[in-house]
Amino acid sequence: NLCKEGSFMGAQGQPGCFSDFVCATPLQCCKLPPTISLEAAALLEPIAVALHAVSLVEAKFTDVVAIYGSGTIGLCCFLILRRAGIQNIYMIDRVPFRRGFAKAFGATDAFSFEEARGKLKELTGGKGCSLVLDTAGDDASLEACLHIAAVGARIGLLAIPEQDHLAYNPHQARAKELLIINVHRSTLLLREAVALFADESAAAHLEKLVTHRKPLSEINAAFEMASGYVEGVIKNMLQPGLPAARPIARVGLLGGGLHCRPGYLDRLQKGCGVEICFAAALQGAGLSGTDELERACGQRGIRYLGCFDGRSELTRLAELFECDLIFVGNSCVAMPLDLAALSAVVRQGVVTTHLGLLPANSDPDAVSWATLRGLPQGATTYFVVPGAPPEDHIIDMFAAEVPHRSALEATSELLGAEAERRLPLWLNALRTGDFDMSAMRAVRLAQHQSLEAADRSRRSCEGVALCGAPNDSYVSWGWRCSFLERFSDALGRVRTLRPDGSAVWFVVVAASCIQLDALPGEGTVIGACKDGSRFVVRAVDGFVTCKAEDGAFMPLAGELLRSAPTPPASCLHIPPDFAGAALGPQPGGAVGSTAAAKSGHGGGDGGSVPPPPPASAAERPKAPASGSFAPAERPAAANGLAAPAEERKVNIFDLRFEDSFVAEFQALSGEVLTSGRPLSESKYCRELEAAFAELVHAPHAVVAPSGTMALNIALRAVGVRGRAVLTPSNTFFATQVAVENAGGRCVMAECESEFMQLCPKALRAQLEALPHGSVAAVVLVHVGGLIAPFAGELRAIAHEYGAKLVEDAAHAHSSYLDGVGWAGTIGDIAAFSFFPTKVMTMGEGGMITTSSESLHQACREIKNFGCDLSGGSSRFVCARGDGTNGRVPELSALLGLLECRRVRERVARRQALVAEYVKGLAGCPAFEVLQQPGGSCSYYKCIVRLRGIDREALRSFAKARGVAFTGEVYHLGVHRMPGYAAEHPAPLPATDEACANHACPPLYPELTEDDVRHVCAVMRAAAAELAEPPAEPPPSAS
């Protein structure tokens, strides 16, 4: 509930705990042990806040503590402090019954505001309290905290004040050198809270905070009791109860829809244990599918009643059959039916399944519009309640993975099959009241990414009823290839006009984006197959291969095809020069936006990119001969990609910052320079640590001036000085430099072939051969950002032999693998890099993450010269001999913080581009793109295994055609480099093979899909020219 990335459950606009279902990420959910009741569980959130507060103020068992405010938060802080072994804890409150409750709860004593000053000074011998927590949150409580605090004390501010500004005496705070700490959220401590109160007696003690209980119907009275401090109220618990079970045995089917599919009928009869009382069509809903429904009913013994009038006969029908549930087709919901009367006579209600995710995609033709807008595909089942938004009555919802270039019919079939599979699940949930909403997480994430795009699309279509096909199914050859493909997939079939005015219906088979400066105009038929099956048309940015519905109407080479005149007012008009890749996610808003360059860049590709320079006349491709299938000089590749245009340039790297990003950085930089705060290790360093810890789901994070220094500090904290550290040779040698500078001794380890990472079998053998305990750490490098499925096994092996597992996660910002975890939390400690080419940057910088409080504290001390950070702030004492200067400037941290806010979007962009590489190189035996098997990968590099093609020849071939390959992940094992070869003579054949036989084409978020397609075309051309043919089979014995 206190996660920055989520919406506060219960605030205005969020249904919160008064909703039947709440979307939450797995990170927010903890399984309760049987010893913790639901009431005690509801108190674990304030307990988590208290845990976080006690951690921030660094409470010590020798502290004398005063807590201002004896409400829920104050008493939760008391519980945590007492569990930490602190004995002297005093509670202060204005309300007498709260003071009495605090004493009965176990406080050392409790005082009013007026008597607290004198009493606490007396009890502490005039020194005051070393730790003071303010959970009251007003001027008087803050002033009282300052007064009773001892010299050098810590004050934690936990309350949310009613006013925007609190007044306090700065001279008193300064004279005592008080440290004032603000507490805002719980920082991923819910699991620790569950563990802390898993004991039955501890949970029972926590439950004592619940002094009153009210049913949900008395919610107003409950809030008034709490806000009015009614006598005896500490925590007033609302008891809403669980969803009521709904007996469902008899169902009826009305109108066409998913429920008329044969598989759906079979599931209802055989898998759900219900009786289908009747099936009927509805007048006005169209007759499509009625014959099939009648036939399917006859085959299954279901009574089919023919066609009914939805306005006058439905109620009588429902009363006659006494149904528990009636299924209606989604198209029927918009008809003039008397749904209110129908719902009144159906025992449990009327339900429908909508092929679209509500509320993002509520259009009647939801599958088509999801494709056109680039929205996720899925379905929503809900109760039809007249006058109420469907999303308020959702029963079930799922999102589906749809293959690229999935046509309308195939997508609808996939969604229908999944709806059939989920039917027994939600019917059983209605019967039991126990709903499995596990699919909601995927839906929520998909909707979060697409709602803005859908909103822009709706705004652009304002005043247009989205019925019928957009443009009346006519294409424009002024659209980009990618949108022509999308348009064809969305509608199933599309059309264009021949010069004589006749329409040609067709589907888009494939499209190839290439430079076309010298070829005929848009809409020109470049060529056609002699068998009359396919024809090729020039679009604005390439060639489109089309398959005619009727070969008799095949266009001829040289014909100029065109769009229809302005389409009917009842359907959406997409301008003929629309430059986007999808209707929804275009920068700038309107469907008709032409801001993106018509060169194949921009639109849905993540930003506007200047078009490549025009080719000279001598370099431009010539028009093909009439009747040819593709341009003579530019044949299509085997996967439909066009052969490369040599004049196009794809740079090795590009890093851009949005104008808003630059403006915010400039403004906040000025604030840093004028704030009076220290210019290093201050506000933005702490905020960056908190933000990055949340990004990678780590409890602790420590910022460092570079990725190498981050690894160095982590290794020092682990204690590698004078001991061996096993490192992969397949890594950038900064890994070994960090080990050496931390005082460790490098021992090179072998990698495996699939993920190019440490081999578990080889690691175990290597550790077995060394004296037990002689190895301090094993370094795991997440190569290219990929998490290997065996990473958890590596951790177990390292621990078995007394070594720590240290993650070199320089590439793996936000990478995650199901069953293994998040990069940065898999090992004992981890290091990330923020070098300019990395997944995110702060110019130069790094970050350490760990789940260990002791390692976290050690890293903080080491980076501050080995300083004892538990002492006063003005006099430092060196507590460690392994300290160094790892401090970070505020301006660098500010850049990192702003980058942290956009890194998820940029990682998603990298993932999309890698998917484009996979598609573009599919079927070419010379290349295989290395992918993470599930989860989410940062894809710092696109790693392509090479088979039968020389890497240097490939790089040279690509360079000559304007494509600059990046450096390999690692082109040479460290054990082969002069600085280490003499010390590590042992052969590492798997490492040598991995380093030598891979390449890395360009990969950065600023690339466009067209760039990637061009690179793939270049690589395919290289493979055709350079790859070695497969070896001849040996002759037979005969």
Side-chain angles (χ1 to χ4, degrees), residues 422-472:
R422 294 185 67 85
L423 171 64
L425 302 179
W426 65 257
L427 266 178
N428 185 61
L430 284 176
R431 287 167 168 159
T432 62
D434 183 12
F435 283 79
D436 174 16
M437 300 298 282
S438 58
M440 290 292 284
R441 174 175 178 262
V443 173
R444 184 190 181 206
L445 293 175
Q447 287 190 313
H448 175 73
Q449 295 167 358
S450 64
L451 275 177
E452 182 180 353
D455 183 58
R456 279 199 294 264
S457 180
R458 280 193 293 272
R459 289 201 306 271
S460 65
C461 304
E462 199 168 357
V464 177
L466 298 183
C467 62
N471 280 30
D472 203 19

Side-chain angles (χ1 to χ4, degrees), residues 702 713-714 717 829 848 855-864:
V702 179
I713 293 170
I829 197 167
I848 306 159
L855 287 177
H856 172 233
Q857 182 67 17
C859 290
R860 292 181 61 226
E861 292 178 346
I862 291 168
K863 69 170 281 185
N864 283 283

Side-chain angles (χ1 to χ4, degrees), residues 897-912:
L897 180 62
L898 298 182
E899 275 276 86
C900 209
R901 295 175 186 171
R902 69 171 190 163
V903 68
R904 290 182 179 88
E905 179 183 348
R906 290 173 68 78
V907 166
R909 183 71 188 143
R910 288 176 176 271
Q911 292 169 346

